[in-house]
Amino acid sequence: MFKKFTWGHGVLVALGAFMIFILSMIFIFTRGWQNAEMVSDNYYEEELHYQAVINAKNNADALSQKPLYSQSASGIRIDFPKDLKIDNSTVNFHLFRTDDAKLDVDKKLTLDADHSISIPKNVLFPGSYTLKIHWEQNKKPYQVDYDIIWK
């Protein structure tokens, strides 16, 4: 059997084994991929307005006390300092998921009597979020960002 096995056969066997190896890697490694979506559909338009976000973050960095978040079994609670006089007592928050845009949450809430807002657990799914909190004080924008892992 091996008497008729020439170098040409060896090249074909090596090439066939290599092709099987490459195809198996393609099928094995692509099975674990997650969604590969763009961060935003309007990326370029948002990039042009990003200086406003930078200004809002700088305004928040200048505050002596920033809003603090805490996690509990009922959800996420964001406590604002009592000395902040937020315009209309409304706060925008955006929970941003990098791996699945369908799980993003974007809402406008009114502060309660404790000067805080709550995000219920039923809108959260286990995973990593970026919490962006945006508000205005004396018509001046403020924004703080927190990285959150919800379990």
Side-chain angles (χ1 to χ4, degrees), residues 37 39 45 63 87 117 141:
E37 301 172 352
V39 173
E45 294 172 19
L63 292 173
D87 294 349
I117 60 173

Short mmCIF file of all heavy atoms in Angstrom, two decimals, residues 37 39 45 63 87 117 141:
data_model
loop_
_atom_site.label_atom_id
_atom_site.label_comp_id
_atom_site.label_asym_id
_atom_site.label_seq_id
_atom_site.Cartn_x
_atom_site.Cartn_y
_atom_site.Cartn_z
N GLU A 37 -22.47 44.60 17.31
CA GLU A 37 -23.23 45.73 16.81
C GLU A 37 -22.43 47.01 16.99
O GLU A 37 -21.54 47.08 17.82
CB GLU A 37 -24.54 45.85 17.59
CG GLU A 37 -25.39 44.62 17.50
CD GLU A 37 -26.59 44.69 18.44
OE1 GLU A 37 -26.66 45.61 19.25
OE2 GLU A 37 -27.42 43.80 18.35
N VAL A 39 -21.95 50.77 18.34
CA VAL A 39 -22.36 51.39 19.58
C VAL A 39 -23.63 52.20 19.38
O VAL A 39 -24.53 52.20 20.20
CB VAL A 39 -21.22 52.28 20.12
CG1 VAL A 39 -21.67 53.08 21.32
CG2 VAL A 39 -20.02 51.44 20.46
N GLU A 45 -23.17 61.60 13.92
CA GLU A 45 -23.91 62.76 14.43
C GLU A 45 -23.64 62.98 15.91
O GLU A 45 -23.47 64.11 16.36
CB GLU A 45 -25.41 62.57 14.18
CG GLU A 45 -25.79 62.55 12.72
CD GLU A 45 -27.24 62.17 12.52
OE1 GLU A 45 -28.02 62.26 13.47
OE2 GLU A 45 -27.58 61.79 11.39
N LEU A 63 -18.08 69.37 40.99
CA LEU A 63 -18.96 69.34 42.15
C LEU A 63 -18.22 68.78 43.37
O LEU A 63 -17.38 67.89 43.25
CB LEU A 63 -20.18 68.46 41.87
CG LEU A 63 -21.18 68.96 40.85
CD1 LEU A 63 -22.23 67.88 40.58
CD2 LEU A 63 -21.84 70.22 41.33
N ASP A 87 -32.85 71.23 38.01
CA ASP A 87 -33.94 71.88 37.28
C ASP A 87 -35.09 70.90 37.08
O ASP A 87 -34.89 69.78 36.60
CB ASP A 87 -33.45 72.38 35.92
CG ASP A 87 -32.41 73.49 36.04
OD1 ASP A 87 -32.22 74.00 37.16
OD2 ASP A 87 -31.79 73.82 35.01
N ILE A 117 -33.43 58.53 42.82
CA ILE A 117 -34.23 57.80 41.83
C ILE A 117 -33.89 56.32 41.96
O ILE A 117 -32.82 55.95 42.44
CB ILE A 117 -33.98 58.27 40.38
CG1 ILE A 117 -32.52 58.09 39.97
CG2 ILE A 117 -34.43 59.70 40.19
CD1 ILE A 117 -32.24 58.37 38.51
N PRO A 141 -25.53 71.77 32.10
CA PRO A 141 -25.60 70.31 32.05
C PRO A 141 -24.53 69.64 32.92
O PRO A 141 -23.41 70.14 33.07
CB PRO A 141 -25.37 70.00 30.57
CG PRO A 141 -24.53 71.12 30.08
CD PRO A 141 -24.96 72.33 30.86
#
